[in-house]
Amino acid sequence: MITYMLATMIILLMLGFPMMIPLIMAALVGFYMTFDGFGQMNIMIQQMMGGIRPTALIAVPMFILAADVMTRGQSANRLINMVMSFIGHIKGGLAVSTAASCTLFGAVSGSTQATVVAVGSPLRPKMLKAGYKDSFTLALIINSSDIAFLIPPSIGMIIYGVISGTSIGELFIAGVGPGLLILAMFSAYCIAYAYIHKVPTEPKCTWKERMVSIQEALWPLGFPVIIVGGIYGGIFSPTEAAAACVLYAVILEFIVFRSLKAMDIYKIAKSTGLITAVVFILVAVGNGFSWIISFAQIPQTILGGLGINEAGPIGVLFAIAIAFFIACMFVDPIVVILVLTPIFAPAIASTGLDPVLVGVLITLMVAIGSATPPFGCDIFTAIAIFKRPYWEVIRGTPPFIFMLVLAAILIIYFPQIALFLRDLAFR
């Protein structure tokens, strides 16, 4: 049965159908073969509706809406200016500022694509003017946006938490350590690149200019305070924190900064509605797909045939990392999380792995895959935003992919990188 399901997905993908169509058709093929027809189709519909029923999913459109408001307003630029004022003058400081800004904006948006747009649009021209090659600049922006998928709030972690039943609050705090590790690795590479290619430094800001930039960024810095402080201070649930972020973003951009007008509300709502509709359709279809493969015991068959159940915790983590990485090179990250998480669930349970550690690793690997050729979604976001050819966008990615894979290996062998803050907050 799994052969027919995979063949259906591959054929429809090659024909150019949107991802939701191959996924639902593969699920229907599996349903037909399992139940000898469509007479009990109501079961599949119930499973699909059940996939979008968890209240935690309400956080997804809320964070998308907040990110859209901030991207169109001044919050992103104010955060970037603050980072630039402190480290822009060091060797490679502009590149390091780009990576740091992606991290900081990730603490606001939780979306890799939003980060590419919000940070890449203002900083790419500055980096090109400063003497950085466009291939390096594009690769830095695309891969630094991966950090946004790890730093809370993370849409990928919300989806994984809903599918696996893992605490979203624990997942959020566990993503901070790996995110900062990757930022440190990228910063070191940026400094080395600047020295090797003799990139000139930027003028140093005075302390007065730095204080002004901090003052301007104080309001946007309230977002991570609301998210992290609110959740771990016991004030908000992750869903409530998302709603508070929307309210805060609207107040900032429409009232305090006055960067948006009433006529912008329609555009923002339309954009958020379209993205949310796609995400929820994928979640519903993915839940139906996951149910049918679980009902048919396909995960047990696949894992047993590959011997993964006997591989031990480290072996299972490596298998998960490789599978999610490769899948996201071709398919949307949300779809990969929805489809592959149930397949590996038996192996995760049998080896006693911490689901929070697994969630962090999965989130990292789908982020890497989404910025990796041939079809990583962040690559095509950059092509659309910066109007550059495909080969130029991917030319500088190998060093960053190597560092990201190295970070994943370190997390596998040293899980406290991810679990230290979680244990500190929840144990």
Side-chain angles (χ1 to χ4, degrees), residues 113-144:
Q113 281 108 325
T115 303
V116 169
V117 176
V119 177
S121 297
L123 283 182
R124 176 173 169 265
K126 293 182 180 179
M127 289 189 65
L128 295 179
K129 186 177 180 181
Y132 290 92
K133 291 182 180 178
D134 202 15
S135 57
F136 171 83
T137 302
L138 292 168
L140 174 64
I141 293 168
I142 293 170
N143 289 277
S144 294

Side-chain angles (χ1 to χ4, degrees), residues 139 143 146 185-186 325 329 365 368-369 371-373 379 394 396-408:
N143 289 277
D146 291 346
M185 295 170 73
F186 281 10
F325 173 61
M329 291 166 61
M365 298 317 297
I368 300 172
T372 303
I379 295 172
I394 68 170
T397 57
F400 293 98
I401 295 172
F402 173 79
M403 287 183 281
L404 288 166
V405 171
L406 177 60

Side-chain angles (χ1 to χ4, degrees), residues 313-390:
I314 298 294
V316 171
L317 287 174
F318 270 106
I320 290 172
I322 293 170
F324 278 83
F325 173 61
I326 293 175
C328 277
M329 291 166 61
F330 300 93
V331 183
D332 185 85
I334 293 176
V335 175
V336 173
I337 294 172
L338 291 169
V339 172
L340 291 187
T341 300
I343 291 178
F344 283 97
I348 294 169
S350 65
T351 52
L353 285 167
D354 190 323
V356 173
L357 173 64
V358 175
V360 172
L361 181 64
I362 285 174
T363 304
L364 173 57
M365 298 317 297
V366 299
I368 300 172
S370 64
T372 303
F375 301 119
C377 59
D378 289 345
I379 295 172
F380 293 96
T381 301
I383 291 172
I385 296 298
F386 304 127
K387 304 291 190 294
R388 303 308 302 164
Y390 176 84

Side-chain angles (χ1 to χ4, degrees), residues 59 62-64 66-67 70 103-112 147-158 168 172 223-224 227-228 231-232 238 241-242 245:
M62 293 292 182
F63 282 128
I64 292 172
M70 290 180 289
T103 304
L104 201 54
F105 193 76
V108 173
S109 70
S111 166
T112 57
I147 305 175
F149 220 51
L150 288 168
I151 298 292
S154 166
I155 294 173
M157 286 182 175
I158 295 173
I168 294 174
F172 276 3
F223 286 102
I227 296 166
V228 178
I231 293 174
Y232 303 111
C245 278

